[in-house]
Amino acid sequence: MKISIINGPNLNLIGTREPEIYGNQSLNDFLLTLQKKYSSIQFTIYQSNVEGEIINEIQKQGFDADAIIINAGAYTHTSIAIADALKSIATKKIIEVHISNVYARENYRKESFIAPVSMGVIAGFGLNSYDLAVQALMI
Ligand code: DQA
């Protein structure tokens, strides 16, 4: 199985950014451990702060990967273009993840343009949200 993990803006700063919300571990370190844990899965891991670059990665992986795990960061709540890209690809197994429980935060984080084009949403389990998404794909 090929899984593409796509991360959006400011997620490169996880580990130092707002640690009371997102914890102290770097996302990159966590995802490297995740890759080792599921060694039979072929992962591609991508992060960008730029909306168009995220769309390019969705278009690239969306015709190659079996599944996409996406944390679009704040673009989750704003980007029709990312949602349109996810609708336009062959890969239909899409899981939206969030480190924090977006439903327990500001109202503007409760809206997602990505959720309607996803199989499901996993939010609020810290970095383990990514692990849970992989497990969901293995069911
Ligand atoms: C986030 C939640 C978003 O609302 C926020 O803008 C982020 C991180 C999360 O993983 O909890 O950048 O996607």
Side-chain angles (χ1 to χ4, degrees), residues 7-135:
N7 288 306
N10 302 307
L11 294 171
N12 53 317
L13 297 181
I14 294 295
T16 55
R17 167 194 177 196
E18 299 180 273
E20 65 289 357
I21 298 175
Y22 300 113
N24 297 303
Q25 192 181 0
S26 101
L27 178 56
N28 204 40
D29 287 354
F30 178 85
L31 292 178
L32 291 176
T33 310
L34 192 73
Q35 253 179 319
K36 284 188 193 131
K37 179 173 172 186
Y38 298 103
S39 55
S40 62
I41 297 175
Q42 212 180 309
F43 287 98
T44 58
I45 295 170
Y46 181 84
Q47 190 275 332
S48 175
N49 295 320
V50 180
E51 188 175 19
E53 287 181 359
I54 295 165
I55 292 165
N56 285 342
E57 182 70 6
I58 291 168
Q59 290 188 4
K60 181 175 155 198
Q61 298 298 335
F63 295 94
D64 186 35
D66 301 302
I68 292 178
I69 295 172
I70 182 160
N71 183 351
Y75 285 143
T76 306
H77 320 297
T78 62
S79 180
I80 295 167
I82 289 178
D84 280 351
L86 291 167
K87 281 186 214 162
S88 307
I89 55 177
T91 307
K92 294 298 167 211
K93 287 187 175 178
I94 298 165
I95 299 187
E96 174 183 337
V97 301
H98 297 286
I99 300 164
S100 65
N101 179 358
V102 284
Y103 301 101
R105 299 181 63 192
E106 299 92 336
N107 275 336
Y108 58 79
R109 293 186 204 276
K110 292 177 187 157
E111 185 173 0
S112 168
F113 286 103
I114 294 172
V117 297
S118 301
M119 291 168 72
V121 180
I122 300 172
F125 297 94
L127 296 177
N128 282 322
S129 294
Y130 291 85
D131 194 331
L132 293 170
V134 174
Q135 290 181 45

